Coordinates of all heavy atoms in Angstrom, one line a residue:
M125 N -56.1 -43.7 -37.3 CA -55.9 -43.1 -36.0 C -57.3 -42.9 -35.4 O -58.2 -42.4 -36.1 CB -55.3 -41.7 -36.2 CG -55.1 -40.9 -35.0 SD -54.4 -39.2 -35.1 CE -53.2 -39.3 -36.3
D126 N -57.5 -43.4 -34.2 CA -58.8 -43.2 -33.5 C -58.9 -41.9 -32.9 O -58.0 -41.1 -32.8 CB -59.0 -44.4 -32.5 CG -58.1 -44.3 -31.3 OD1 -57.2 -43.4 -31.2 OD2 -58.2 -45.2 -30.4
G127 N -60.1 -41.6 -32.3 CA -60.4 -40.3 -31.7 C -59.5 -39.9 -30.6 O -59.1 -38.8 -30.4
S128 N -59.2 -40.9 -29.7 CA -58.4 -40.7 -28.5 C -57.0 -40.3 -28.9 O -56.4 -39.4 -28.4 CB -58.3 -41.9 -27.6 OG -59.6 -42.1 -27.1
M129 N -56.5 -40.9 -30.0 CA -55.1 -40.6 -30.4 C -55.1 -39.2 -31.0 O -54.2 -38.5 -30.8 CB -54.7 -41.7 -31.5 CG -53.3 -41.4 -32.1 SD -51.9 -42.2 -31.3 CE -52.4 -43.9 -31.2
A130 N -56.1 -38.9 -31.8 CA -56.1 -37.5 -32.4 C -56.2 -36.5 -31.3 O -55.6 -35.4 -31.4 CB -57.3 -37.4 -33.4
L131 N -57.0 -36.8 -30.3 CA -57.2 -35.8 -29.2 C -55.8 -35.6 -28.5 O -55.4 -34.5 -28.1 CB -58.2 -36.4 -28.2 CG -58.6 -35.5 -27.0 CD1 -59.2 -34.2 -27.5 CD2 -59.6 -36.2 -26.1
G132 N -55.1 -36.7 -28.3 CA -53.8 -36.6 -27.6 C -52.8 -35.8 -28.4 O -52.1 -35.0 -27.9
F133 N -52.8 -36.0 -29.8 CA -51.9 -35.2 -30.6 C -52.3 -33.7 -30.6 O -51.5 -32.9 -30.6 CB -51.9 -35.8 -32.1 CG -51.0 -36.9 -32.3 CD1 -51.6 -38.1 -32.7 CD2 -49.7 -36.8 -32.0 CE1 -50.7 -39.2 -32.9 CE2 -48.8 -37.9 -32.2 CZ -49.4 -39.1 -32.7
A134 N -53.6 -33.5 -30.7 CA -54.1 -32.1 -30.6 C -53.7 -31.4 -29.3 O -53.2 -30.3 -29.3 CB -55.6 -32.0 -30.8
A135 N -53.8 -32.1 -28.2 CA -53.5 -31.5 -26.9 C -52.0 -31.3 -26.8 O -51.5 -30.2 -26.4 CB -53.9 -32.5 -25.8
G136 N -51.2 -32.2 -27.3 CA -49.7 -32.1 -27.2 C -49.3 -31.0 -28.1 O -48.4 -30.2 -27.7
T137 N -49.9 -30.8 -29.3 CA -49.5 -29.7 -30.2 C -49.8 -28.4 -29.6 O -49.0 -27.5 -29.6 CB -50.2 -29.9 -31.5 OG1 -49.8 -31.2 -32.1 CG2 -49.9 -28.8 -32.5
L138 N -51.0 -28.2 -29.0 CA -51.4 -26.9 -28.5 C -50.6 -26.5 -27.3 O -50.2 -25.4 -27.2 CB -52.9 -27.0 -28.1 CG -53.9 -26.9 -29.2 CD1 -55.3 -27.1 -28.7 CD2 -53.8 -25.7 -30.0
T139 N -50.3 -27.5 -26.4 CA -49.4 -27.1 -25.2 C -48.0 -26.9 -25.6 O -47.3 -26.1 -25.0 CB -49.5 -28.2 -24.1 OG1 -49.2 -29.4 -24.7 CG2 -50.9 -28.2 -23.5
T140 N -47.6 -27.5 -26.7 CA -46.2 -27.3 -27.2 C -46.0 -25.9 -27.8 O -45.0 -25.2 -27.6 CB -45.8 -28.4 -28.2 OG1 -45.9 -29.6 -27.5 CG2 -44.4 -28.2 -28.7
V141 N -47.0 -25.5 -28.6 CA -46.9 -24.2 -29.3 C -47.5 -23.0 -28.5 O -47.6 -21.9 -29.0 CB -47.5 -24.2 -30.7 CG1 -46.8 -25.3 -31.5 CG2 -49.0 -24.5 -30.7
A142 N -48.0 -23.3 -27.3 CA -48.7 -22.3 -26.5 C -48.0 -21.0 -26.3 O -48.6 -20.0 -26.2 CB -49.2 -22.9 -25.2
F143 N -46.7 -21.1 -26.1 CA -45.9 -19.9 -25.8 C -45.5 -19.1 -27.0 O -45.0 -18.0 -26.8 CB -44.7 -20.3 -24.9 CG -45.1 -20.8 -23.6 CD1 -45.1 -22.2 -23.3 CD2 -45.5 -19.9 -22.6 CE1 -45.4 -22.6 -22.1 CE2 -45.8 -20.4 -21.4 CZ -45.8 -21.7 -21.1
I144 N -45.7 -19.6 -28.2 CA -45.4 -18.8 -29.4 C -46.1 -17.4 -29.4 O -45.4 -16.4 -29.7 CB -45.6 -19.6 -30.7 CG1 -44.6 -20.8 -30.7 CG2 -45.5 -18.7 -31.9 CD1 -44.8 -21.7 -31.8
P145 N -47.4 -17.3 -29.2 CA -48.0 -16.0 -29.2 C -47.4 -15.0 -28.2 O -47.2 -13.9 -28.4 CB -49.5 -16.3 -28.9 CG -49.7 -17.7 -29.3 CD -48.4 -18.4 -29.0
Q146 N -47.1 -15.6 -27.0 CA -46.5 -14.7 -25.9 C -45.1 -14.2 -26.4 O -44.8 -13.1 -26.2 CB -46.4 -15.5 -24.6 CG -45.9 -14.6 -23.5 CD -46.8 -13.5 -23.1 OE1 -48.0 -13.7 -22.9 NE2 -46.3 -12.3 -23.0
L147 N -44.3 -15.1 -26.9 CA -43.0 -14.7 -27.4 C -43.0 -13.7 -28.5 O -42.3 -12.7 -28.5 CB -42.2 -16.0 -27.8 CG -41.8 -17.0 -26.7 CD1 -41.2 -18.2 -27.4 CD2 -40.8 -16.3 -25.8
T148 N -44.0 -13.9 -29.4 CA -44.1 -13.0 -30.5 C -44.6 -11.6 -30.0 O -44.0 -10.6 -30.4 CB -45.2 -13.5 -31.5 OG1 -44.8 -14.8 -32.0 CG2 -45.4 -12.5 -32.7
K149 N -45.5 -11.6 -29.1 CA -46.0 -10.3 -28.5 C -44.9 -9.6 -27.7 O -44.7 -8.4 -27.9 CB -47.2 -10.6 -27.6 CG -47.9 -9.3 -27.1 CD -49.1 -9.7 -26.3 CE -49.9 -8.4 -26.0 NZ -51.1 -8.7 -25.4
A150 N -44.1 -10.3 -26.9 CA -43.0 -9.7 -26.2 C -42.0 -9.2 -27.1 O -41.4 -8.1 -26.8 CB -42.5 -10.8 -25.2
W151 N -41.7 -9.9 -28.1 CA -40.6 -9.5 -29.1 C -41.0 -8.2 -29.8 O -40.3 -7.3 -29.9 CB -40.4 -10.6 -30.1 CG -39.3 -10.3 -31.1 CD1 -39.4 -9.6 -32.3 CD2 -38.0 -10.6 -31.0 NE1 -38.2 -9.5 -32.9 CE2 -37.3 -10.1 -32.1 CE3 -37.2 -11.3 -30.0 CZ2 -35.9 -10.3 -32.3 CZ3 -35.9 -11.4 -30.2 CH2 -35.2 -10.9 -31.4
R152 N -42.3 -8.1 -30.2 CA -42.8 -6.9 -30.9 C -42.9 -5.7 -30.0 O -42.6 -4.6 -30.4 CB -44.1 -7.2 -31.6 CG -44.0 -8.1 -32.7 CD -45.4 -8.3 -33.4 NE -45.2 -9.2 -34.5 CZ -46.2 -9.9 -35.0 NH1 -47.4 -9.8 -34.5 NH2 -46.0 -10.7 -36.0
S153 N -43.4 -5.9 -28.8 CA -43.6 -4.8 -27.9 C -42.4 -4.5 -27.0 O -42.4 -3.5 -26.3 CB -44.8 -5.1 -26.9 OG -44.5 -6.1 -26.0
K154 N -41.4 -5.4 -27.0 CA -40.2 -5.2 -26.2 C -40.6 -5.2 -24.7 O -40.0 -4.5 -23.9 CB -39.4 -4.0 -26.5 CG -39.0 -3.8 -28.0 CD -37.8 -4.7 -28.3 CE -37.3 -4.3 -29.7 NZ -37.4 -5.4 -30.6
S155 N -41.7 -5.8 -24.4 CA -42.2 -5.8 -23.0 C -43.0 -7.2 -22.7 O -43.6 -7.7 -23.6 CB -43.2 -4.7 -22.8 OG -43.9 -4.8 -21.6
T156 N -42.8 -7.6 -21.5 CA -43.6 -8.8 -21.0 C -44.6 -8.3 -20.0 O -45.1 -9.1 -19.2 CB -42.7 -9.9 -20.4 OG1 -41.9 -9.3 -19.4 CG2 -41.8 -10.4 -21.5
G157 N -44.9 -7.0 -19.9 CA -45.8 -6.5 -18.9 C -47.2 -6.9 -19.0 O -48.0 -6.6 -18.1
D158 N -47.6 -7.5 -20.1 CA -49.0 -7.9 -20.2 C -49.1 -9.3 -20.7 O -48.2 -9.8 -21.4 CB -49.9 -7.0 -21.0 CG -49.3 -6.8 -22.4 OD1 -48.1 -7.1 -22.7 OD2 -50.0 -6.2 -23.3
L159 N -50.1 -10.0 -20.4 CA -50.3 -11.4 -20.8 C -50.9 -11.5 -22.1 O -51.9 -10.8 -22.5 CB -51.2 -12.0 -19.7 CG -51.3 -13.5 -19.7 CD1 -50.0 -14.1 -19.4 CD2 -52.3 -14.0 -18.6
S160 N -50.5 -12.4 -23.0 CA -51.0 -12.7 -24.3 C -52.3 -13.6 -24.1 O -52.1 -14.7 -23.6 CB -50.0 -13.3 -25.2 OG -50.6 -13.9 -26.3
W161 N -53.4 -13.1 -24.5 CA -54.6 -13.9 -24.4 C -54.6 -15.1 -25.4 O -55.1 -16.1 -25.1 CB -55.9 -13.1 -24.6 CG -56.2 -12.2 -23.4 CD1 -56.0 -10.9 -23.3 CD2 -56.7 -12.7 -22.2 NE1 -56.3 -10.5 -22.0 CE2 -56.7 -11.5 -21.3 CE3 -57.0 -13.9 -21.6 CZ2 -57.2 -11.6 -20.0 CZ3 -57.5 -14.0 -20.3 CH2 -57.5 -12.8 -19.5
G162 N -53.9 -14.9 -26.5 CA -53.7 -16.0 -27.4 C -53.0 -17.2 -26.8 O -53.4 -18.3 -27.0
M163 N -51.9 -16.9 -26.1 CA -51.1 -17.9 -25.4 C -52.0 -18.5 -24.3 O -52.0 -19.8 -24.2 CB -49.9 -17.3 -24.8 CG -48.9 -18.4 -24.2 SD -49.3 -19.1 -22.6 CE -49.1 -17.6 -21.5
L164 N -52.7 -17.7 -23.5 CA -53.5 -18.2 -22.4 C -54.6 -19.2 -22.9 O -54.8 -20.3 -22.4 CB -54.1 -17.1 -21.6 CG -54.9 -17.4 -20.4 CD1 -54.0 -18.2 -19.4 CD2 -55.5 -16.2 -19.8
V165 N -55.3 -18.8 -24.0 CA -56.4 -19.6 -24.5 C -55.8 -20.9 -25.1 O -56.4 -22.0 -24.9 CB -57.2 -18.8 -25.5 CG1 -58.2 -19.7 -26.3 CG2 -58.0 -17.7 -24.8
T166 N -54.7 -20.8 -25.9 CA -54.1 -21.9 -26.5 C -53.7 -22.9 -25.4 O -53.9 -24.1 -25.5 CB -53.0 -21.5 -27.4 OG1 -53.4 -20.6 -28.4 CG2 -52.4 -22.8 -28.1
F167 N -53.0 -22.4 -24.4 CA -52.4 -23.3 -23.3 C -53.6 -23.9 -22.6 O -53.6 -25.1 -22.3 CB -51.5 -22.5 -22.4 CG -50.9 -23.3 -21.3 CD1 -49.9 -24.2 -21.6 CD2 -51.4 -23.2 -20.0 CE1 -49.3 -24.9 -20.6 CE2 -50.9 -24.0 -19.0 CZ -49.8 -24.9 -19.3
S168 N -54.6 -23.1 -22.2 CA -55.7 -23.7 -21.4 C -56.5 -24.7 -22.2 O -56.8 -25.8 -21.7 CB -56.7 -22.5 -21.0 OG -56.0 -21.6 -20.2
T169 N -56.7 -24.5 -23.5 CA -57.3 -25.5 -24.3 C -56.5 -26.8 -24.4 O -57.1 -27.9 -24.3 CB -57.6 -24.9 -25.7 OG1 -58.4 -23.7 -25.6 CG2 -58.3 -25.9 -26.6
G170 N -55.2 -26.6 -24.6 CA -54.4 -27.8 -24.7 C -54.4 -28.6 -23.4 O -54.5 -29.8 -23.4
V171 N -54.3 -27.9 -22.2 CA -54.4 -28.6 -20.9 C -55.7 -29.3 -20.8 O -55.8 -30.4 -20.3 CB -54.1 -27.7 -19.8 CG1 -54.3 -28.3 -18.4 CG2 -52.6 -27.2 -19.9
L172 N -56.8 -28.6 -21.1 CA -58.1 -29.2 -21.1 C -58.2 -30.5 -21.9 O -58.8 -31.5 -21.5 CB -59.2 -28.2 -21.4 CG -60.7 -28.7 -21.4 CD1 -61.0 -29.2 -20.0 CD2 -61.6 -27.7 -21.9
L173 N -57.7 -30.4 -23.2 CA -57.7 -31.6 -24.0 C -56.9 -32.7 -23.4 O -57.3 -33.9 -23.6 CB -57.2 -31.2 -25.4 CG -58.1 -30.3 -26.3 CD1 -57.5 -29.9 -27.6 CD2 -59.5 -31.0 -26.5
W174 N -55.7 -32.4 -22.8 CA -55.0 -33.4 -22.1 C -55.8 -34.1 -21.0 O -55.7 -35.3 -20.8 CB -53.7 -32.8 -21.5 CG -52.5 -32.9 -22.5 CD1 -51.8 -31.8 -22.9 CD2 -51.9 -34.0 -23.1 NE1 -50.8 -32.2 -23.8 CE2 -50.9 -33.5 -23.9 CE3 -52.2 -35.4 -23.1 CZ2 -50.1 -34.4 -24.7 CZ3 -51.4 -36.2 -23.8 CH2 -50.3 -35.7 -24.6
L175 N -56.5 -33.3 -20.3 CA -57.4 -33.8 -19.2 C -58.4 -34.8 -19.8 O -58.6 -35.9 -19.3 CB -58.0 -32.7 -18.4 CG -59.0 -33.1 -17.4 CD1 -58.4 -34.0 -16.3 CD2 -59.6 -31.9 -16.7
I176 N -59.1 -34.3 -20.9 CA -60.1 -35.2 -21.5 C -59.5 -36.5 -22.1 O -60.0 -37.6 -21.9 CB -60.8 -34.4 -22.7 CG1 -61.6 -33.3 -22.1 CG2 -61.7 -35.4 -23.5 CD1 -62.1 -32.3 -23.1
Y177 N -58.3 -36.3 -22.7 CA -57.5 -37.5 -23.2 C -57.2 -38.4 -22.0 O -57.4 -39.7 -22.2 CB -56.3 -37.0 -23.9 CG -55.4 -38.1 -24.4 CD1 -55.7 -38.8 -25.5 CD2 -54.1 -38.3 -23.8 CE1 -54.9 -39.8 -25.9 CE2 -53.3 -39.3 -24.2 CZ -53.6 -40.1 -25.3 OH -52.8 -41.0 -25.8
G178 N -56.7 -37.9 -20.9 CA -56.4 -38.8 -19.8 C -57.6 -39.5 -19.3 O -57.5 -40.7 -18.9
I179 N -58.8 -38.9 -19.3 CA -60.0 -39.5 -18.8 C -60.4 -40.6 -19.8 O -60.8 -41.7 -19.4 CB -61.2 -38.5 -18.7 CG1 -60.9 -37.6 -17.5 CG2 -62.5 -39.2 -18.5 CD1 -61.8 -36.3 -17.4
R180 N -60.3 -40.3 -21.1 CA -60.7 -41.3 -22.2 C -59.8 -42.5 -22.1 O -60.2 -43.7 -22.4 CB -60.6 -40.7 -23.5 CG -61.8 -39.7 -23.8 CD -61.8 -39.2 -25.1 NE -62.2 -40.2 -26.1 CZ -62.6 -40.0 -27.3 NH1 -62.7 -38.7 -27.7 NH2 -62.9 -41.0 -28.1
I181 N -58.5 -42.4 -21.8 CA -57.6 -43.6 -21.7 C -57.5 -44.1 -20.3 O -56.7 -45.0 -20.1 CB -56.2 -43.3 -22.3 CG1 -55.4 -42.2 -21.5 CG2 -56.4 -42.9 -23.8 CD1 -54.0 -42.1 -21.9
D182 N -58.2 -43.5 -19.4 CA -58.2 -43.9 -18.0 C -56.8 -43.8 -17.4 O -56.3 -44.8 -16.8 CB -58.8 -45.3 -17.8 CG -59.2 -45.6 -16.4 OD1 -59.4 -44.6 -15.6 OD2 -59.2 -46.8 -16.0
S183 N -56.1 -42.7 -17.6 CA -54.7 -42.5 -17.1 C -54.7 -41.5 -15.9 O -54.8 -40.3 -16.1 CB -53.8 -42.0 -18.2 OG -52.5 -41.7 -17.7
L184 N -54.6 -42.1 -14.7 CA -54.7 -41.2 -13.5 C -53.5 -40.2 -13.5 O -53.8 -39.0 -13.2 CB -54.6 -42.1 -12.3 CG -54.8 -41.3 -10.9 CD1 -56.1 -40.6 -10.9 CD2 -54.7 -42.3 -9.8
P185 N -52.3 -40.5 -13.9 CA -51.3 -39.4 -13.9 C -51.6 -38.3 -14.9 O -51.4 -37.1 -14.5 CB -50.0 -40.1 -14.4 CG -50.2 -41.6 -14.0 CD -51.7 -41.8 -14.2
V186 N -52.1 -38.6 -16.0 CA -52.5 -37.5 -17.0 C -53.7 -36.7 -16.4 O -53.7 -35.5 -16.5 CB -52.9 -38.1 -18.4 CG1 -53.4 -37.1 -19.3 CG2 -51.6 -38.8 -19.0
I187 N -54.7 -37.4 -15.8 CA -55.8 -36.7 -15.3 C -55.4 -35.8 -14.1 O -55.8 -34.6 -14.1 CB -56.9 -37.7 -14.8 CG1 -57.4 -38.5 -16.0 CG2 -58.0 -37.1 -14.0 CD1 -58.2 -39.8 -15.6
L188 N -54.6 -36.3 -13.2 CA -54.2 -35.5 -12.0 C -53.3 -34.3 -12.4 O -53.6 -33.2 -12.0 CB -53.5 -36.4 -11.0 CG -54.3 -37.3 -10.2 CD1 -53.5 -38.2 -9.3 CD2 -55.4 -36.6 -9.4
A189 N -52.3 -34.6 -13.3 CA -51.4 -33.5 -13.7 C -52.2 -32.4 -14.3 O -51.9 -31.2 -14.0 CB -50.3 -34.1 -14.6
N190 N -53.1 -32.7 -15.2 CA -53.7 -31.6 -16.0 C -54.9 -31.0 -15.2 O -55.1 -29.8 -15.3 CB -54.2 -32.1 -17.3 CG -53.0 -32.4 -18.2 OD1 -52.5 -31.4 -18.7 ND2 -52.7 -33.6 -18.4
S191 N -55.5 -31.7 -14.2 CA -56.4 -31.1 -13.3 C -55.8 -30.0 -12.4 O -56.2 -28.9 -12.3 CB -57.1 -32.1 -12.5 OG -57.9 -33.0 -13.2
V192 N -54.6 -30.4 -11.9 CA -53.9 -29.5 -11.0 C -53.4 -28.3 -11.8 O -53.5 -27.2 -11.3 CB -52.7 -30.3 -10.4 CG1 -51.7 -29.3 -9.7 CG2 -53.2 -31.3 -9.4
T193 N -52.9 -28.5 -13.0 CA -52.5 -27.4 -13.9 C -53.6 -26.4 -14.1 O -53.4 -25.2 -14.0 CB -51.9 -27.9 -15.2 OG1 -50.8 -28.8 -15.0 CG2 -51.5 -26.8 -16.1
L194 N -54.8 -26.9 -14.4 CA -55.9 -26.0 -14.7 C -56.3 -25.2 -13.4 O -56.5 -24.0 -13.5 CB -57.1 -26.8 -15.2 CG -57.1 -27.2 -16.6 CD1 -58.3 -28.1 -16.9 CD2 -57.0 -26.1 -17.6
V195 N -56.3 -25.9 -12.3 CA -56.6 -25.2 -11.0 C -55.5 -24.1 -10.7 O -55.8 -23.0 -10.4 CB -56.8 -26.2 -9.9 CG1 -56.8 -25.5 -8.5 CG2 -58.0 -27.1 -10.1
L196 N -54.3 -24.5 -10.8 CA -53.2 -23.6 -10.5 C -53.2 -22.4 -11.5 O -52.9 -21.3 -11.1 CB -51.8 -24.3 -10.5 CG -51.6 -25.3 -9.4 CD1 -50.2 -26.0 -9.6 CD2 -51.6 -24.6 -8.0
Q197 N -53.4 -22.7 -12.7 CA -53.5 -21.6 -13.7 C -54.6 -20.6 -13.4 O -54.4 -19.4 -13.4 CB -53.7 -22.1 -15.1 CG -53.7 -21.1 -16.2 CD -53.8 -21.7 -17.5 OE1 -53.8 -22.9 -17.7 NE2 -54.0 -20.8 -18.5
A198 N -55.8 -21.1 -13.0 CA -56.9 -20.2 -12.7 C -56.6 -19.4 -11.4 O -56.8 -18.2 -11.4 CB -58.1 -21.1 -12.5
R199 N -56.0 -20.0 -10.4 CA -55.6 -19.3 -9.2 C -54.5 -18.3 -9.4 O -54.5 -17.2 -8.9 CB -55.2 -20.3 -8.1 CG -56.2 -21.3 -7.7 CD -57.3 -20.7 -6.8 NE -56.6 -20.1 -5.7 CZ -57.2 -19.2 -4.9 NH1 -58.4 -18.9 -5.1 NH2 -56.6 -18.8 -3.8
S200 N -53.6 -18.7 -10.3 CA -52.5 -17.7 -10.6 C -53.0 -16.5 -11.3 O -52.6 -15.4 -11.0 CB -51.5 -18.4 -11.5 OG -50.5 -17.5 -11.9
E201 N -53.9 -16.6 -12.2 CA -54.5 -15.5 -12.9 C -55.3 -14.6 -12.0 O -55.2 -13.4 -12.0 CB -55.4 -16.0 -14.0 CG -54.7 -16.6 -15.2 CD -55.7 -17.3 -16.1 OE1 -56.8 -16.8 -16.3 OE2 -55.3 -18.3 -16.8
E202 N -56.1 -15.2 -11.0 CA -56.8 -14.4 -10.0 C -55.8 -13.6 -9.2 O -56.0 -12.5 -8.9 CB -57.7 -15.3 -9.2 CG -58.8 -16.0 -9.9 CD -59.5 -17.0 -9.0 OE1 -59.2 -17.1 -7.8 OE2 -60.3 -17.8 -9.6
H203 N -54.8 -14.3 -8.7 CA -53.8 -13.7 -7.8 C -53.1 -12.6 -8.5 O -52.9 -11.5 -7.9 CB -52.8 -14.8 -7.3 CG -51.8 -14.3 -6.3 ND1 -52.2 -13.8 -5.0 CD2 -50.5 -14.1 -6.4 CE1 -51.1 -13.4 -4.4 NE2 -50.0 -13.6 -5.2
T204 N -52.7 -12.8 -9.7 CA -51.9 -11.8 -10.5 C -52.8 -10.6 -10.7 O -52.4 -9.4 -10.5 CB -51.4 -12.4 -11.8 OG1 -50.6 -13.5 -11.5 CG2 -50.7 -11.3 -12.6
S205 N -54.1 -10.8 -11.1 CA -55.0 -9.7 -11.4 C -55.2 -8.9 -10.1 O -55.3 -7.6 -10.1 CB -56.3 -10.2 -11.9 OG -56.1 -10.8 -13.1
E206 N -55.4 -9.5 -9.0 CA -55.6 -8.9 -7.7 C -54.4 -8.0 -7.3 O -54.5 -6.8 -6.9 CB -55.9 -9.9 -6.6 CG -56.1 -9.3 -5.2 CD -56.4 -10.3 -4.2 OE1 -56.9 -11.4 -4.5 OE2 -56.2 -10.0 -3.0
L207 N -53.2 -8.5 -7.5 CA -52.0 -7.8 -7.1 C -51.8 -6.6 -8.1 O -51.4 -5.5 -7.6 CB -50.7 -8.7 -7.2 CG -50.6 -9.7 -6.1 CD1 -49.4 -10.6 -6.3 CD2 -50.4 -9.0 -4.7
Q208 N -52.1 -6.8 -9.3 CA -52.0 -5.7 -10.3 C -53.0 -4.6 -10.0 O -52.6 -3.4 -10.0 CB -52.3 -6.2 -11.7 CG -51.1 -7.0 -12.3 CD -51.5 -7.6 -13.7 OE1 -52.7 -7.8 -14.0 NE2 -50.5 -7.8 -14.5
S209 N -54.2 -4.9 -9.6 CA -55.2 -3.9 -9.3 C -54.9 -3.2 -8.0 O -55.1 -2.0 -7.8 CB -56.6 -4.4 -9.4 OG -56.8 -5.4 -8.3
R210 N -54.5 -3.9 -7.0 CA -54.2 -3.3 -5.7 C -52.9 -2.5 -5.6 O -52.9 -1.5 -5.0 CB -54.1 -4.4 -4.6 CG -55.4 -5.0 -4.2 CD -55.2 -5.8 -3.0 NE -56.5 -6.4 -2.6 CZ -56.7 -7.2 -1.6 NH1 -55.6 -7.6 -0.8 NH2 -57.8 -7.7 -1.3
F211 N -51.9 -3.0 -6.2 CA -50.6 -2.4 -6.0 C -49.9 -1.9 -7.3 O -48.8 -1.4 -7.3 CB -49.6 -3.4 -5.4 CG -50.1 -4.0 -4.1 CD1 -50.5 -5.3 -4.0 CD2 -50.2 -3.2 -3.0 CE1 -51.0 -5.8 -2.8 CE2 -50.7 -3.7 -1.8 CZ -51.1 -5.0 -1.7
G212 N -50.6 -2.1 -8.5 CA -50.0 -1.7 -9.7 C -48.8 -2.5 -10.1 O -47.9 -2.0 -10.9
I213 N -48.7 -3.7 -9.7 CA -47.5 -4.5 -10.0 C -47.7 -5.2 -11.4 O -48.7 -5.7 -11.7 CB -47.4 -5.7 -8.9 CG1 -47.1 -5.0 -7.6 CG2 -46.2 -6.6 -9.3 CD1 -47.1 -6.0 -6.4
S214 N -46.7 -5.1 -12.2 CA -46.7 -5.6 -13.5 C -46.6 -7.1 -13.5 O -46.0 -7.7 -12.6 CB -45.6 -5.1 -14.3 OG -45.4 -5.7 -15.5
Y215 N -47.2 -7.8 -14.5 CA -47.1 -9.2 -14.7 C -45.6 -9.7 -14.8 O -45.3 -10.7 -14.4 CB -47.9 -9.7 -15.9 CG -47.8 -11.2 -16.1 CD1 -48.5 -12.1 -15.3 CD2 -47.0 -11.7 -17.1 CE1 -48.4 -13.5 -15.6 CE2 -46.9 -13.0 -17.3 CZ -47.6 -13.9 -16.6 OH -47.5 -15.3 -16.8
A216 N -44.8 -8.8 -15.3 CA -43.4 -9.1 -15.6 C -42.7 -9.5 -14.3 O -41.8 -10.3 -14.3 CB -42.7 -7.9 -16.2
V217 N -43.2 -9.0 -13.1 CA -42.6 -9.4 -11.8 C -42.8 -10.9 -11.6 O -41.9 -11.5 -11.0 CB -43.3 -8.6 -10.7 CG1 -42.8 -9.1 -9.3 CG2 -43.0 -7.1 -10.9
F218 N -43.8 -11.5 -12.1 CA -44.1 -12.9 -11.8 C -43.5 -13.8 -12.9 O -43.6 -15.0 -12.8 CB -45.6 -13.1 -11.8 CG -46.3 -12.2 -10.7 CD1 -47.0 -11.1 -11.1 CD2 -46.1 -12.5 -9.4 CE1 -47.5 -10.3 -10.1 CE2 -46.7 -11.7 -8.4 CZ -47.4 -10.6 -8.8
C219 N -42.9 -13.3 -13.9 CA -42.3 -14.1 -15.0 C -41.0 -14.7 -14.5 O -40.3 -14.2 -13.8 CB -42.1 -13.3 -16.2 SG -43.6 -12.8 -17.0

């Protein structure tokens, strides 16, 4: 297995299991009112690895999809934090 293939498998694995920390946290706390940093970091790392993988194999669809995902995720976090601080709105409203 070459480096690009290993990178693709790592990215796919991380993005596939990214929601497990959030589900575990929600199950234990009986609340989805806060964001799991474990899920966020795992998901972001997986998307970044997919982007790097797309660049390495010169795949425009993979590059574009993951670039957009990273931008939207960053904007979503900024928007959610702003609404929470201004209006006291829980993250659960956006789920």
Side-chain angles (χ1 to χ4, degrees):
M125 178 183 321
D126 67 359
S128 293
M129 178 92 52
L131 186 62
F133 279 121
T137 300
L138 288 174
T139 55
T140 299
V141 301
F143 291 102
I144 291 173
Q146 183 64 50
L147 291 173
T148 303
K149 187 173 186 175
W151 184 271
R152 288 183 182 157
S153 69
K154 306 279 191 246
S155 171
T156 58
D158 54 348
L159 193 60
S160 166
W161 286 105
M163 187 282 294
L164 183 61
V165 169
T166 304
F167 182 75
S168 297
T169 302
V171 171
L172 180 62
L173 290 175
W174 271 119
L175 176 59
I176 294 167
Y177 176 71
I179 292 168
R180 287 184 70 163
I181 65 168
D182 196 27
S183 174
L184 187 58
V186 174
I187 294 167
L188 288 177
N190 289 286
S191 295
V192 169
T193 299
L194 285 175
V195 169
L196 291 175
Q197 182 178 351
R199 296 288 300 164
S200 174
E201 291 170 30
E202 291 171 11
H203 183 66
T204 301
S205 295
E206 182 180 334
L207 288 174
Q208 286 175 331
S209 66
R210 282 189 183 181
F211 305 109
I213 297 172
S214 170
Y215 178 76
V217 172
F218 303 103
C219 294

